[in-house]
Amino acid sequence: MKQYLDAVRETLESGTRKENRTGVDTLSTFNINYEIDLREGFPLLTTKEISWKNIVIENLWFLSGRTDIALLRKHGCRFWDPWADEEGKVPSAYGNFWRHFPLPDNGTNDQIAYVVDTLKNNPMSRRMAVAAWAPGNAQSSALPPCHAFWVVNVQNDGAGNPYLCLHLTQRSCDIALGVPYNIAGYSLLAELFARFGGITAGIFGHTLIDAHIYTARADGSMAEYDHIPGLREQLGREPRALPQLEIDESIRSLDDIEPLLDLDTGEIMDKFRLHGYHPHPAISFKVAV
């Protein structure tokens, strides 16, 4: 996937060393932008293997609006464990604010339901926006939302046929670990929302505000967190053909998502079949918490 590999190269070539809250240095650069045409294949990284199961389960969890990680644990997804409190909840969970954004009157707003309704009734609206950044939570959270804001936008092709686009603004972007999952996760959301609206998925646009690569400190310490060697290995690998995503015909609306949460892992994955995914071997990167 050329767009991702170009972002890796740009960060390696132009990034400057920055300290951050994790204690592990990064090479950081500002404002990388790219587009991916979802009609050319599903953008799951091929220069290393990515867990399709984790992407599907995580995004169903987001759409559910839940804060507890029981659903993730049920399906063997452990990546949110470091951020869960002693009750197994993540107060800053993206879906919580997507589905229950806090209002001044102590009520909440379901942004996902609003977008789906607008997509059906006023698809050319420019107001189909979803925010995960709620200042009252984000400014004091141990892990405020990295992918903070996204917008659904419908365009017409040359023949007047509508297609759905989705743009993600991401404030903090772990190039090695997070960004491949973010690309695939929001592309899956674009495919789902296109299905909900009865149109074709088109473009995924992505803005990386602080794009960074974790690296050893200048004195050589924290070398176990150095992501540069693994990324350079990927740059030396030839990208392979993108897979094709097939979403089960039974999934036609937002209401069809909730029943999926009661299924076992195999049953869920049978609803989101990925054909022709033949990646290079996985590369392990240690997470800076």
Side-chain angles (χ1 to χ4, degrees):
M1 194 160 55
K2 181 178 184 299
Q3 296 91 330
Y4 173 73
L5 297 177
D6 286 346
V8 171
R9 291 188 186 93
E10 182 174 347
T11 309
L12 285 171
E13 292 170 3
S14 64
T16 57
R17 185 175 293 273
K18 282 179 64 175
E19 297 177 352
N20 61 88
R21 61 166 184 83
T22 68
V24 183
D25 285 1
T26 64
L27 294 182
S28 172
T29 192
F30 175 70
N31 193 33
I32 294 176
N33 296 273
Y34 50 79
E35 294 183 356
I36 296 172
D37 192 334
L38 301 178
R39 294 163 292 191
E40 297 177 355
F42 189 81
L44 191 61
L45 196 63
T46 64
T47 50
K48 69 167 185 176
E49 185 176 11
I50 299 290
S51 172
W52 176 232
K53 178 203 74 173
N54 283 353
I55 290 165
V56 171
I57 300 300
E58 181 182 42
N59 282 276
L60 292 180
W61 180 61
F62 289 160
L63 287 174
S64 77
R66 300 180 185 182
T67 59
D68 68 89
I69 61 174
L71 177 69
L72 299 176
R73 288 175 171 169
K74 171 185 173 182
H75 298 288
C77 304
R78 313 296 301 186
F79 39 82
W80 279 93
D81 285 11
W83 310 110
D85 61 24
E86 55 191 24
E87 296 179 352
K89 295 184 177 181
V90 182
S92 58
Y94 293 92
N96 183 35
F97 295 104
W98 293 0
R99 304 303 304 268
H100 315 108
F101 196 89
L103 300 176
D105 61 2
N106 294 321
T108 61
N109 178 273
D110 187 340
Q111 301 177 88
I112 298 298
Y114 169 81
V115 169
V116 171
D117 182 69
T118 304
L119 188 58
K120 292 177 179 177
N121 296 301
N122 185 19
M124 295 303 160
S125 171
R126 299 186 294 266
R127 300 179 179 184
M128 292 183 283
V130 179
W133 189 274
N137 169 270
Q139 293 173 5
S140 60
S141 174
L143 184 67
C146 295
H147 20 118
F149 183 77
W150 52 283
V151 178
V152 169
N153 181 268
V154 175
Q155 295 289 320
N156 291 319
D157 65 18
N161 300 310
Y163 61 93
L164 182 142
C165 303
L166 188 153
H167 182 275
L168 170 64
T169 299
Q170 188 166 345
R171 65 163 185 93
S172 179
C173 318
D174 180 342
I175 290 286
L177 278 171
V179 170
Y181 276 85
N182 303 140
I183 292 171
Y186 280 87
S187 295
L188 173 59
L189 291 175
E191 294 282 359
L192 281 170
F193 278 79
R195 174 71 66 87
F196 300 159
I199 60 176
T200 301
I203 304 297
F204 168 63
H206 201 182
T207 293
L208 312 181
I209 296 176
D210 186 306
H212 51 265
I213 297 170
Y214 285 96
T215 186
R217 288 180 173 177
D219 62 7
S221 63
M222 298 288 190
E224 67 270 28
Y225 293 97
D226 195 344
H227 293 175
I228 292 177
L231 289 171
R232 291 199 184 281
E233 182 177 350
Q234 285 188 71
L235 291 176
R237 294 174 171 181
E238 186 67 25
R240 294 173 176 171
L242 293 178
Q244 298 294 321
L245 173 61
E246 178 188 358
I247 299 176
D248 193 88
E249 287 298 320
S250 64
I251 302 173
R252 307 301 307 180
S253 72
L254 183 59
D255 291 337
D256 296 324
I257 297 299
E258 190 69 24
L260 299 177
L261 307 180
D262 295 325
L263 302 179
D264 64 30
T265 306
E267 290 173 318
I268 290 177
M269 298 313 298
D270 193 50
K271 304 289 187 184
F272 299 92
R273 293 176 286 272
L274 205 61
H275 302 289
Y277 184 50
H278 304 295
H280 289 270
I283 297 174
S284 178
F285 295 104
K286 190 170 183 177
V287 179
V289 177

